[in-house]
Amino acid sequence: VSACGKCGQWQQVLQLLHEMEQNHVEKNHITYNAAISSCQKGAAWGQALQLVRDMAAGRVQRDVVTFSAAVSTCQTSGVWELALELLREMTEDGVEGGTITYSAAVSSCEKSGAWQPALQLLHDMAEDHIERATITFNAAVSACEKGGVWERALQLLLEMVKDRVERDTITYSAAISACEKGGAYGPALQLLCEMLQDRIERDCTTFNAAVSACEKGQVWEPALQLLREMEECRVKSNTTTFNAAISACEKGDQWATGLRL
């Protein structure tokens, strides 16, 4: 079961579990955990949930590995309501969740843009003294970005500073994208400056989000300045970069400048 699970062959794993049952071979929590992990690799969240239910019905102990694997399956599939349900069951079973379990639940919320449940989970982690890692915050910031609440994304960055959690390129890129969607070019440019000051790598995705923020804010000069910065930092621009910059020039009645790009 474990060998098939590591290869992501979840259909084969379920067949093996069926054979074990037919041959009256006892299945323990190790067997089930390996099977649930295989479902996670195959994004088979329905099958993973059924295995968790089978464990409860068969009075097989469900531990943190069980729930972490099941919640990770929800993360892969973006079924955040199910992830929250599993967290509730974990609590009812008296199993203490950790950073990995909660981070997976936050990520499942992120994939659906469910920023409010994501922030609640982050709050619950703080209340229960569960370490909130960079990956946890990144997922929450990205959820805010998808939910169009850039102010909340910036608040999370401040929380990271307060909790001394490292902020990386993914953190800032998601926050800048949140500002871009809200047309908040000022905060977006400030975040870009912070990255430079903190020596955090700024990639094409980061700059593209900032240029797009300028375009939505109808400010063409900062957009062109960002293009120069990309060249100075040896960050390769792409079609998205130039399209946003040209659009910024067009909105600022600088069509001639836009044509020169």
Side-chain angles (χ1 to χ4, degrees):
V1 171
S2 181
C4 292
K6 289 178 181 179
C7 297
Q9 299 176 340
W10 62 271
Q11 297 98 330
Q12 183 64 35
V13 169
L14 296 184
Q15 179 59 38
L16 288 172
L17 261 64
H18 179 66
E19 290 181 21
M20 290 178 71
E21 187 173 345
Q22 285 185 324
N23 291 288
H24 305 289
V25 178
E26 184 182 0
K27 295 174 286 187
N28 58 23
H29 70 284
I30 297 175
T31 315
Y32 276 106
N33 288 348
I36 294 170
S37 293
S38 73
C39 292
Q40 185 258 321
K41 291 181 176 66
W45 62 269
Q47 287 75 11
L49 177 62
Q50 185 57 55
L51 289 171
V52 174
R53 297 286 184 268
D54 289 347
M55 291 179 75
R59 297 183 178 180
V60 178
Q61 180 185 2
R62 304 188 295 182
D63 56 19
V64 67
V65 177
T66 311
F67 286 104
S68 292
V71 172
S72 292
T73 305
C74 299
Q75 171 195 349
T76 306
S77 306
V79 283
W80 62 271
E81 299 97 332
L82 178 56
L84 299 188
E85 182 181 334
L86 287 168
L87 287 182
R88 284 192 292 270
E89 286 189 31
M90 183 176 66
T91 302
E92 290 171 0
D93 281 15
V95 177
E96 291 186 8
T99 302
I100 295 175
T101 314
Y102 275 90
S103 294
V106 174
S107 292
S108 69
C109 294
E110 175 266 326
K111 291 188 183 302
S112 302
W115 62 273
Q116 290 172 313
L119 295 185
Q120 183 59 51
L121 287 171
L122 213 59
H123 174 75
D124 292 344
M125 291 179 74
E127 288 286 309
D128 295 337
H129 303 289
I130 298 171
E131 180 185 359
R132 304 187 295 177
T134 300
I135 189 174
T136 320
F137 276 102
N138 285 355
V141 172
S142 186
C144 291
E145 178 257 323
K146 290 183 178 178
V149 284
W150 63 271
E151 298 97 333
R152 292 299 186 96
L154 298 189
Q155 287 175 7
L156 289 176
L157 263 65
L158 294 177
E159 279 192 46
M160 293 179 77
V161 173
K162 181 181 176 183
D163 289 1
R164 297 182 180 180
V165 178
E166 182 181 359
R167 298 181 290 182
D168 58 16
T169 303
I170 296 173
T171 316
Y172 276 98
S173 294
I176 292 172
S177 292
C179 294
E180 176 260 323
K181 288 191 175 180
Y185 73 91
L189 296 179
Q190 181 58 42
L191 289 173
L192 208 61
C193 288
E194 285 183 20
M195 293 182 73
L196 181 62
Q197 293 168 1
D198 296 340
R199 297 182 180 180
I200 297 173
E201 182 184 0
R202 303 185 295 175
D203 58 18
C204 185
T205 301
T206 316
F207 276 102
N208 283 354
V211 174
S212 294
C214 293
E215 180 261 329
K216 288 191 176 179
Q218 300 184 19
V219 286
W220 62 276
E221 290 175 307
L224 298 189
Q225 178 59 36
L226 289 174
L227 287 182
R228 288 190 287 271
E229 278 192 46
M230 291 181 74
E231 189 174 352
E232 291 170 2
C233 298
R234 297 182 181 179
V235 177
K236 189 175 181 180
S237 53
N238 57 21
T239 304
T240 303
T241 320
F242 283 103
N243 284 346
I246 292 169
S247 181
C249 291
E250 181 268 327
K251 289 183 178 180
D253 293 325
Q254 299 292 323
W255 59 269
T257 303
L259 289 176
R260 286 196 295 270
L261 295 176

